[in-house]
Amino acid sequence: MTAGPPIEEIHFDDAPNVDSVPGPKSRELLEKQERIDSSAVAYPDDIPVAFEEGKGATIRDADGNTYIDMFAGIGVLNVGHSNPYVLEAVREQTEKLVHTVDFPTEARLDLIEKLDEIAPAGLQGENRVVFGGPTGSDAVEAAIKLAKYNTGGDGLIAFRGSYHGATSGAMALTSNKGFKDDYTPLIPDVVHAKYPSPFIDREESGDSCARALKEVEEIIEDPYGGLANPAGIFVEPIQGEGGVIVPPEGFLKGLREIATENDIPLMFDEIQSGMGRSGQWWASEWHGVTPDIMTTAKALGGVGFPLSATIYHEDLDTWDAGGHAGTYRGHVVAMRAGTRAIEYVQEHDLLAHARDLGEHVRGRLRTATEGNDRLGEVRGRGLFIGAEFVDEDGNPDGDAVEAIQQYCFEHGVLVWTAGRHGNVLRLLPPLVLTRDLADTAVDVIVDAIDHVTAETAASR
């Protein structure tokens, strides 16, 4: 039996279809939000819109404008908005039971078994899963605790350009100083090493991968490396907020060797890059490297339900009962949704679809902007795509990306940004995005690039 309808049947038919935006209802709701909501609200500053309903890779606002969604709640909605196959199970589960802390339920055990089924080869059949709080940050905190508990260490190696979350431990691992400088001190002894990026490092001589690995090795092994008692290495297999940075071949394998030689765990943050986003279940599979500990969240909850998990090798399962806890570790509706989402990806071969469509989108962006020296690089894996923009002197150009985002919004395509300077156009569409919708979205993005480039040239 096929798991739900094919991807061609689960979107609004009229996308994109927008009038002048934001419309009056969106403006009314935005103004109300500004009056009564927290000053920490951020996303409407970039895309001023109030949403009403979504289907597949399309979404409508409160005024009836319909958009192609190319960021999917920042990588949360891998099987699309309101996926009918997932929601069928959600309705059934909600009518029976919603919250169980960590008592056993079929929904919980089914998801654990499903995660084992799709786990990286070195963890498959040899892992344990711990659910904690509902966010990716919670999974990162669990990974930190597990590494420290098993090693007795207290120092951690993370990477420049990284983002791991907003709680204390996760924020300490995050490299963005502006994001955390008002909240220090955080957990001590976190050292940030260089994450190799061929485009960013293009003006440097030598092998950026070898230099990065050498730095990590020296931090751990050099008597004057500065990190006295390491507990582990924490890394994104593809940096998301850092600009969709795909590491060179050999980097993750080198980290694996360093971690093994020094008897410390290698931890992968797959919160944004996992659950099929890269065209593999886990981005680390592109490199054939298995971590000791792995975090997942975002798309794990199926259609946006909050759920996170930390998956780790069974040899590290040394916790006593209650060694890691969280009230919402029994969110059985999210667990049922997560299992259904995995089934939908499997039944509709969406990993291969993501690989093929991602290659097509990257190819179209490269071809359509050939000769445009403002587009420095198009990169990514699967439907995890970044396009980096520079000015006429080759410096990061965040203003151009902001203008491109605005143009796309006004023409019915929702895109997002990334990168240390906000100069990377980041595309994270649902894996159910069709070829037709992708081509329509790319048409708008290319028009936006041409429009912004022409305006910049005219203003000089």
Side-chain angles (χ1 to χ4, degrees), residues 67-389:
Y67 308 83
I68 301 175
D69 185 356
M70 296 292 282
F71 73 95
I74 310 300
V76 168
L77 302 160
N78 283 12
V79 296
H81 294 272
S82 303
N83 184 290
Y85 181 71
V86 177
L87 290 184
E88 177 186 47
V90 165
R91 294 186 190 100
E92 293 174 358
Q93 183 63 57
T94 303
E95 291 174 358
K96 294 196 300 182
L97 190 64
V98 172
H99 176 69
T100 62
V101 195
D102 60 8
F103 289 100
T105 62
E106 287 188 1
R108 180 189 189 87
L109 301 180
D110 286 349
L111 179 57
I112 291 173
E113 289 180 338
K114 206 67 178 171
L115 287 171
D116 178 63
E117 183 181 320
I118 66 172
L123 287 176
Q124 206 166 84
E126 301 178 72
N127 68 81
R128 293 291 184 270
V129 176
V130 62
F131 300 105
T135 72
S137 296
D138 296 303
V140 171
E141 298 289 346
I144 293 171
K145 288 171 62 178
L146 186 64
K148 289 186 173 186
Y149 190 80
N150 275 276
T151 63
D154 50 33
L156 295 163
I157 297 174
F159 291 87
R160 296 194 283 278
S162 64
Y163 178 82
H164 298 290
T167 53
S168 183
M171 201 186 308
L173 293 174
T174 295
S175 67
N176 185 340
K177 292 184 285 187
F179 181 70
K180 62 186 183 179
D181 59 6
D182 290 327
Y183 309 106
T184 55
L186 301 168
I187 63 171
D189 279 343
V190 176
V191 178
H192 288 86
K194 186 175 184 59
Y195 194 98
S197 170
F199 181 76
I200 294 174
D201 302 335
R202 64 194 182 282
E203 295 180 359
E204 299 180 11
S205 59
D207 184 340
S208 65
C209 180
R211 287 199 308 273
L213 290 172
K214 182 68 173 175
E215 183 179 358
V216 173
E217 190 173 48
E218 289 175 347
I219 290 169
I220 298 173
E221 299 178 4
D222 185 340
Y224 284 77
L227 190 63
N229 194 14
I233 301 170
F234 211 97
V235 64
E236 296 163 277
I238 298 175
Q239 284 194 338
E241 301 296 323
V244 193
I245 307 295
V246 180
E249 191 63 37
F251 178 61
L252 296 185
K253 287 183 179 179
L255 292 181
R256 175 70 277 172
E257 291 170 4
I258 293 169
T260 301
E261 288 169 3
N262 289 277
D263 197 25
I264 57 176
L266 178 62
M267 296 171 276
F268 286 167
D269 183 337
E270 291 269 15
I271 290 166
Q272 189 169 141
S273 60
M275 296 300 292
R277 167 60 49 198
S278 74
Q280 302 285 1
W281 280 116
W282 313 104
S284 59
E285 292 181 282
W286 284 100
H287 301 268
V289 179
T290 300
D292 301 294
I293 302 170
M294 183 173 71
T295 60
T296 179
K298 286 192 181 289
L300 178 64
V303 285
F305 288 103
L307 183 66
S308 73
T310 305
I311 305 168
Y312 55 94
H313 195 278
E314 61 187 6
D315 289 349
L316 299 175
D317 194 36
T318 56
W319 275 329
D320 293 327
H324 184 67
T327 300
Y328 289 101
R329 65 192 188 274
H331 190 348
V332 290
V333 176
M335 292 169 178
R336 183 64 74 198
T339 299
R340 277 290 182 107
I342 293 170
E343 290 173 353
Y344 191 88
V345 171
Q346 291 173 322
E347 287 292 321
H348 296 271
D349 201 13
L350 293 188
L351 298 183
H353 176 70
R355 293 193 296 270
D356 294 344
L357 190 58
E359 186 66 30
H360 173 71
V361 169
R362 290 191 296 276
R364 278 210 57 200
L365 287 173
R366 293 187 186 111
T367 300
T369 56
E370 191 172 351
N372 185 336
D373 58 5
R374 303 293 302 283
L375 181 53
E377 183 179 49
V378 178
R379 55 182 176 254
R381 296 280 196 184
L383 287 172
F384 198 3
I385 300 168
E388 182 153 355
F389 287 83

